PDB file of all heavy atoms in Angstrom:
ATOM      1  N   ALA A 555    -167.358  93.080  86.994  1.00  0.00           N
ATOM      2  CA  ALA A 555    -166.010  92.752  86.642  1.00  0.00           C
ATOM      3  C   ALA A 555    -165.802  92.802  85.073  1.00  0.00           C
ATOM      4  O   ALA A 555    -166.627  92.095  84.374  1.00  0.00           O
ATOM      5  CB  ALA A 555    -165.661  91.470  87.242  1.00  0.00           C
ATOM      6  N   VAL A 556    -164.876  93.528  84.578  1.00  0.00           N
ATOM      7  CA  VAL A 556    -164.684  93.691  83.248  1.00  0.00           C
ATOM      8  C   VAL A 556    -163.155  93.249  82.863  1.00  0.00           C
ATOM      9  O   VAL A 556    -162.304  93.937  83.489  1.00  0.00           O
ATOM     10  CB  VAL A 556    -164.965  95.046  82.606  1.00  0.00           C
ATOM     11  CG1 VAL A 556    -164.604  95.178  81.124  1.00  0.00           C
ATOM     12  CG2 VAL A 556    -166.394  95.500  82.894  1.00  0.00           C
ATOM     13  N   GLY A 557    -162.913  92.343  82.032  1.00  0.00           N
ATOM     14  CA  GLY A 557    -161.553  91.939  81.872  1.00  0.00           C
ATOM     15  C   GLY A 557    -161.303  91.067  80.722  1.00  0.00           C
ATOM     16  O   GLY A 557    -162.296  90.819  79.981  1.00  0.00           O
ATOM     17  N   ALA A 558    -160.202  90.676  80.581  1.00  0.00           N
ATOM     18  CA  ALA A 558    -159.019  91.080  81.385  1.00  0.00           C
ATOM     19  C   ALA A 558    -157.772  91.095  80.458  1.00  0.00           C
ATOM     20  O   ALA A 558    -157.721  90.468  79.397  1.00  0.00           O
ATOM     21  CB  ALA A 558    -158.749  89.914  82.521  1.00  0.00           C
ATOM     22  N   THR A 559    -156.755  91.829  80.948  1.00  0.00           N
ATOM     23  CA  THR A 559    -155.589  92.085  80.058  1.00  0.00           C
ATOM     24  C   THR A 559    -154.675  90.845  80.124  1.00  0.00           C
ATOM     25  O   THR A 559    -154.744  90.008  81.136  1.00  0.00           O
ATOM     26  CB  THR A 559    -154.867  93.260  80.412  1.00  0.00           C
ATOM     27  OG1 THR A 559    -154.450  93.172  81.740  1.00  0.00           O
ATOM     28  CG2 THR A 559    -155.720  94.531  80.242  1.00  0.00           C
ATOM     29  N   PHE A 560    -153.779  90.670  79.221  1.00  0.00           N
ATOM     30  CA  PHE A 560    -152.829  89.668  79.231  1.00  0.00           C
ATOM     31  C   PHE A 560    -151.357  90.313  79.023  1.00  0.00           C
ATOM     32  O   PHE A 560    -151.190  90.864  77.877  1.00  0.00           O
ATOM     33  CB  PHE A 560    -152.975  88.535  78.196  1.00  0.00           C
ATOM     34  CG  PHE A 560    -154.141  87.586  78.540  1.00  0.00           C
ATOM     35  CD1 PHE A 560    -155.468  87.998  78.419  1.00  0.00           C
ATOM     36  CD2 PHE A 560    -153.808  86.392  79.143  1.00  0.00           C
ATOM     37  CE1 PHE A 560    -156.475  87.069  78.727  1.00  0.00           C
ATOM     38  CE2 PHE A 560    -154.820  85.432  79.482  1.00  0.00           C
ATOM     39  CZ  PHE A 560    -156.257  85.830  79.300  1.00  0.00           C
ATOM     40  N   ASP A 561    -150.466  90.225  80.023  1.00  0.00           N
ATOM     41  CA  ASP A 561    -149.168  90.908  79.818  1.00  0.00           C
ATOM     42  C   ASP A 561    -148.184  89.828  80.198  1.00  0.00           C
ATOM     43  O   ASP A 561    -147.956  89.457  81.295  1.00  0.00           O
ATOM     44  CB  ASP A 561    -149.133  92.045  80.826  1.00  0.00           C
ATOM     45  CG  ASP A 561    -147.773  92.743  80.787  1.00  0.00           C
ATOM     46  OD1 ASP A 561    -146.933  92.362  80.022  1.00  0.00           O
ATOM     47  OD2 ASP A 561    -147.719  93.782  81.535  1.00  0.00           O
ATOM     48  N   ARG A 562    -147.371  89.363  79.151  1.00  0.00           N
ATOM     49  CA  ARG A 562    -146.468  88.336  79.394  1.00  0.00           C
ATOM     50  C   ARG A 562    -145.046  88.823  79.735  1.00  0.00           C
ATOM     51  O   ARG A 562    -144.086  88.044  80.022  1.00  0.00           O
ATOM     52  CB  ARG A 562    -146.318  87.412  78.162  1.00  0.00           C
ATOM     53  CG  ARG A 562    -147.536  86.735  77.778  1.00  0.00           C
ATOM     54  CD  ARG A 562    -147.457  85.885  76.542  1.00  0.00           C
ATOM     55  NE  ARG A 562    -148.723  85.255  76.115  1.00  0.00           N
ATOM     56  CZ  ARG A 562    -149.209  84.052  76.776  1.00  0.00           C
ATOM     57  NH1 ARG A 562    -148.547  83.494  77.759  1.00  0.00           N
ATOM     58  NH2 ARG A 562    -150.306  83.576  76.416  1.00  0.00           N
ATOM     59  N   GLN A 563    -144.889  90.160  79.678  1.00  0.00           N
ATOM     60  CA  GLN A 563    -143.563  90.721  79.985  1.00  0.00           C
ATOM     61  C   GLN A 563    -143.376  91.251  81.356  1.00  0.00           C
ATOM     62  O   GLN A 563    -142.238  91.470  81.847  1.00  0.00           O
ATOM     63  CB  GLN A 563    -143.392  91.950  78.995  1.00  0.00           C
ATOM     64  CG  GLN A 563    -143.559  91.598  77.509  1.00  0.00           C
ATOM     65  CD  GLN A 563    -142.693  90.467  77.073  1.00  0.00           C
ATOM     66  OE1 GLN A 563    -141.482  90.349  77.388  1.00  0.00           O
ATOM     67  NE2 GLN A 563    -143.215  89.432  76.269  1.00  0.00           N
ATOM     68  N   ALA A 564    -144.411  91.604  82.044  1.00  0.00           N
ATOM     69  CA  ALA A 564    -144.414  92.124  83.371  1.00  0.00           C
ATOM     70  C   ALA A 564    -143.680  91.277  84.370  1.00  0.00           C
ATOM     71  O   ALA A 564    -143.861  90.048  84.418  1.00  0.00           O
ATOM     72  CB  ALA A 564    -145.758  92.586  83.870  1.00  0.00           C
ATOM     73  N   ASP A 565    -142.958  91.860  85.429  1.00  0.00           N
ATOM     74  CA  ASP A 565    -142.391  91.111  86.438  1.00  0.00           C
ATOM     75  C   ASP A 565    -143.031  91.461  87.886  1.00  0.00           C
ATOM     76  O   ASP A 565    -142.470  90.836  88.890  1.00  0.00           O
ATOM     77  CB  ASP A 565    -140.899  91.184  86.496  1.00  0.00           C
ATOM     78  CG  ASP A 565    -140.339  92.639  86.422  1.00  0.00           C
ATOM     79  OD1 ASP A 565    -141.275  93.605  86.647  1.00  0.00           O
ATOM     80  OD2 ASP A 565    -139.150  92.889  86.160  1.00  0.00           O
ATOM     81  N   THR A 566    -143.897  92.450  87.849  1.00  0.00           N
ATOM     82  CA  THR A 566    -144.560  92.820  89.039  1.00  0.00           C
ATOM     83  C   THR A 566    -146.100  92.973  88.760  1.00  0.00           C
ATOM     84  O   THR A 566    -146.498  93.326  87.626  1.00  0.00           O
ATOM     85  CB  THR A 566    -144.134  94.075  89.696  1.00  0.00           C
ATOM     86  OG1 THR A 566    -144.258  95.269  88.761  1.00  0.00           O
ATOM     87  CG2 THR A 566    -142.662  93.968  90.075  1.00  0.00           C
TER      88      THR A 566
END
Side-chain angles (χ1 to χ4, degrees):
V556 178
T559 61
F560 285 81
D561 180 358
R562 300 183 182 277
Q563 306 303 318
D565 53 12
T566 61

